[in-house]
């Protein structure tokens, strides 16, 4: 009879545990919704205006960052006059900039790096690209010819 009482007690314990698990599953699938009470409260929304403050400004300085010396002095009226005359003369010229010169150590032949209309070329003297001929050049400037007009272009820094 001892075996039957132990079996019945274990059977009751198993049924209690499984009923608790079943109730938890059932209550999670069908939750009771709380009653919602709406309050009629009128509120006005007044957003604060945000004022953006410029925390920094960039100023162009024409000085050498290593030595601290001023490299060029600006004269705006003279540069405006020069730019207006250059624009009239150069309206049909392509955009040409001189980037630098390359020279081998054991050779005297120089090769010049030139940008024509945002395309970079490596040219030797008397070489022609896009109807632009490199006439002569040194470390500071080059002379180019386009449609039988010559122009001296300084090095771009």
């Amino acid at each position: 009879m001892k075996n039957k009482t132990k079996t019945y007690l274990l059977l009751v314990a198993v049924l209690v545990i499984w009923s608790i698990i079943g109730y938890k599953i059932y209550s999670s699938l069908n939750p009771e919704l709380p009653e919602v009470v709406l309050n009629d409260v009128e509120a006005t929304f007044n957003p604060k205006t945000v004022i953006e403050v410029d925390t920094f400004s960039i100023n162009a300085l024409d000085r050498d960052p290593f030595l601290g010396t001023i490299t060029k002095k600006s004269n705006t009226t003279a540069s405006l006059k020069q730019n207006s005359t250059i624009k009239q003369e150069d309206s049909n010229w392509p955009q040409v900039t001189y980037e630098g010169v390359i020279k081998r150590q054991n050779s005297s032949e120089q090769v010049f790096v030139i940008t024509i209309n945002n395309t970079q070329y490596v040219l030797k003297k008397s070489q022609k690209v896009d109807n632009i001929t490199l006439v002569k050049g040194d470390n500071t400037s080059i002379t180019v010819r386009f449609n039988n007009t010559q122009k001296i272009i300084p090095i771009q820094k």
Side-chain angles (χ1 to χ4, degrees), residues 6-7 33 54 61 66 83 104 109 121:
K6 288 182 184 178
T7 304
L33 297 175
D54 187 14
L61 296 176
F66 300 105
N83 287 341
R104 289 188 182 167
E109 185 176 329
Y121 297 100

PDB file of all heavy atoms in Angstrom, residues 6-7 33 54 61 66 83 104 109 121:
ATOM      1  N   LYS A   6       2.420   6.597  -2.622  1.00  0.00           N
ATOM      2  CA  LYS A   6       3.479   7.406  -3.249  1.00  0.00           C
ATOM      3  C   LYS A   6       3.098   7.730  -4.702  1.00  0.00           C
ATOM      4  O   LYS A   6       3.312   8.838  -5.184  1.00  0.00           O
ATOM      5  CB  LYS A   6       4.814   6.676  -3.205  1.00  0.00           C
ATOM      6  CG  LYS A   6       5.431   6.616  -1.837  1.00  0.00           C
ATOM      7  CD  LYS A   6       6.774   5.922  -1.912  1.00  0.00           C
ATOM      8  CE  LYS A   6       7.372   5.774  -0.527  1.00  0.00           C
ATOM      9  NZ  LYS A   6       8.638   5.056  -0.570  1.00  0.00           N
ATOM     10  N   THR A   7       2.534   6.787  -5.396  1.00  0.00           N
ATOM     11  CA  THR A   7       2.148   6.992  -6.784  1.00  0.00           C
ATOM     12  C   THR A   7       1.036   8.039  -6.867  1.00  0.00           C
ATOM     13  O   THR A   7       1.062   8.925  -7.731  1.00  0.00           O
ATOM     14  CB  THR A   7       1.670   5.661  -7.398  1.00  0.00           C
ATOM     15  OG1 THR A   7       2.689   4.691  -7.257  1.00  0.00           O
ATOM     16  CG2 THR A   7       1.324   5.832  -8.867  1.00  0.00           C
ATOM     17  N   LEU A  33      -7.494  43.100 -20.543  1.00  0.00           N
ATOM     18  CA  LEU A  33      -7.155  44.467 -20.902  1.00  0.00           C
ATOM     19  C   LEU A  33      -7.608  45.411 -19.803  1.00  0.00           C
ATOM     20  O   LEU A  33      -8.749  45.320 -19.330  1.00  0.00           O
ATOM     21  CB  LEU A  33      -7.809  44.849 -22.223  1.00  0.00           C
ATOM     22  CG  LEU A  33      -7.357  44.039 -23.438  1.00  0.00           C
ATOM     23  CD1 LEU A  33      -8.175  44.438 -24.665  1.00  0.00           C
ATOM     24  CD2 LEU A  33      -5.887  44.239 -23.691  1.00  0.00           C
ATOM     25  N   ASP A  54      26.949  80.678 -34.506  1.00  0.00           N
ATOM     26  CA  ASP A  54      28.160  80.320 -35.214  1.00  0.00           C
ATOM     27  C   ASP A  54      29.293  80.278 -34.201  1.00  0.00           C
ATOM     28  O   ASP A  54      29.679  81.294 -33.633  1.00  0.00           O
ATOM     29  CB  ASP A  54      28.452  81.338 -36.308  1.00  0.00           C
ATOM     30  CG  ASP A  54      29.619  80.918 -37.180  1.00  0.00           C
ATOM     31  OD1 ASP A  54      30.044  79.752 -37.130  1.00  0.00           O
ATOM     32  OD2 ASP A  54      30.122  81.778 -37.927  1.00  0.00           O
ATOM     33  N   LEU A  61      44.455  83.031 -44.099  1.00  0.00           N
ATOM     34  CA  LEU A  61      45.701  83.662 -43.707  1.00  0.00           C
ATOM     35  C   LEU A  61      46.752  83.328 -44.752  1.00  0.00           C
ATOM     36  O   LEU A  61      46.934  82.160 -45.107  1.00  0.00           O
ATOM     37  CB  LEU A  61      46.158  83.162 -42.332  1.00  0.00           C
ATOM     38  CG  LEU A  61      45.239  83.500 -41.159  1.00  0.00           C
ATOM     39  CD1 LEU A  61      45.767  82.861 -39.893  1.00  0.00           C
ATOM     40  CD2 LEU A  61      45.140  84.993 -40.986  1.00  0.00           C
ATOM     41  N   PHE A  66      55.204  77.331 -41.196  1.00  0.00           N
ATOM     42  CA  PHE A  66      56.408  76.890 -40.518  1.00  0.00           C
ATOM     43  C   PHE A  66      57.261  78.064 -40.037  1.00  0.00           C
ATOM     44  O   PHE A  66      57.797  78.039 -38.938  1.00  0.00           O
ATOM     45  CB  PHE A  66      57.228  75.984 -41.440  1.00  0.00           C
ATOM     46  CG  PHE A  66      56.469  74.759 -41.855  1.00  0.00           C
ATOM     47  CD1 PHE A  66      55.957  74.649 -43.125  1.00  0.00           C
ATOM     48  CD2 PHE A  66      56.231  73.744 -40.958  1.00  0.00           C
ATOM     49  CE1 PHE A  66      55.244  73.533 -43.501  1.00  0.00           C
ATOM     50  CE2 PHE A  66      55.512  72.620 -41.318  1.00  0.00           C
ATOM     51  CZ  PHE A  66      55.021  72.520 -42.599  1.00  0.00           C
ATOM     52  N   ASN A  83      42.153  90.393 -63.393  1.00  0.00           N
ATOM     53  CA  ASN A  83      41.247  89.291 -63.722  1.00  0.00           C
ATOM     54  C   ASN A  83      40.306  89.662 -64.863  1.00  0.00           C
ATOM     55  O   ASN A  83      40.010  88.836 -65.713  1.00  0.00           O
ATOM     56  CB  ASN A  83      40.432  88.876 -62.494  1.00  0.00           C
ATOM     57  CG  ASN A  83      41.270  88.121 -61.493  1.00  0.00           C
ATOM     58  OD1 ASN A  83      42.326  87.601 -61.840  1.00  0.00           O
ATOM     59  ND2 ASN A  83      40.800  88.055 -60.258  1.00  0.00           N
ATOM     60  N   ARG A 104      65.316  63.309 -63.741  1.00  0.00           N
ATOM     61  CA  ARG A 104      66.107  62.176 -63.267  1.00  0.00           C
ATOM     62  C   ARG A 104      67.443  62.685 -62.732  1.00  0.00           C
ATOM     63  O   ARG A 104      67.951  63.722 -63.163  1.00  0.00           O
ATOM     64  CB  ARG A 104      66.366  61.196 -64.399  1.00  0.00           C
ATOM     65  CG  ARG A 104      65.150  60.437 -64.815  1.00  0.00           C
ATOM     66  CD  ARG A 104      65.525  59.354 -65.785  1.00  0.00           C
ATOM     67  NE  ARG A 104      64.343  58.649 -66.231  1.00  0.00           N
ATOM     68  CZ  ARG A 104      64.319  57.830 -67.248  1.00  0.00           C
ATOM     69  NH1 ARG A 104      65.419  57.609 -67.950  1.00  0.00           N
ATOM     70  NH2 ARG A 104      63.218  57.220 -67.591  1.00  0.00           N
ATOM     71  N   GLU A 109      67.355  65.753 -68.776  1.00  0.00           N
ATOM     72  CA  GLU A 109      66.048  65.880 -69.407  1.00  0.00           C
ATOM     73  C   GLU A 109      64.973  66.144 -68.349  1.00  0.00           C
ATOM     74  O   GLU A 109      64.866  65.431 -67.361  1.00  0.00           O
ATOM     75  CB  GLU A 109      65.722  64.589 -70.164  1.00  0.00           C
ATOM     76  CG  GLU A 109      64.454  64.656 -70.949  1.00  0.00           C
ATOM     77  CD  GLU A 109      64.247  63.369 -71.744  1.00  0.00           C
ATOM     78  OE1 GLU A 109      65.235  62.747 -72.145  1.00  0.00           O
ATOM     79  OE2 GLU A 109      63.079  63.018 -71.948  1.00  0.00           O
ATOM     80  N   TYR A 121      48.735  65.701 -67.515  1.00  0.00           N
ATOM     81  CA  TYR A 121      49.631  65.178 -68.541  1.00  0.00           C
ATOM     82  C   TYR A 121      51.073  65.374 -68.088  1.00  0.00           C
ATOM     83  O   TYR A 121      51.382  66.301 -67.348  1.00  0.00           O
ATOM     84  CB  TYR A 121      49.431  65.901 -69.884  1.00  0.00           C
ATOM     85  CG  TYR A 121      48.061  65.722 -70.473  1.00  0.00           C
ATOM     86  CD1 TYR A 121      47.093  66.713 -70.335  1.00  0.00           C
ATOM     87  CD2 TYR A 121      47.735  64.581 -71.188  1.00  0.00           C
ATOM     88  CE1 TYR A 121      45.836  66.561 -70.882  1.00  0.00           C
ATOM     89  CE2 TYR A 121      46.483  64.421 -71.747  1.00  0.00           C
ATOM     90  CZ  TYR A 121      45.540  65.415 -71.588  1.00  0.00           C
ATOM     91  OH  TYR A 121      44.301  65.264 -72.136  1.00  0.00           O
TER      92      TYR A 121
END
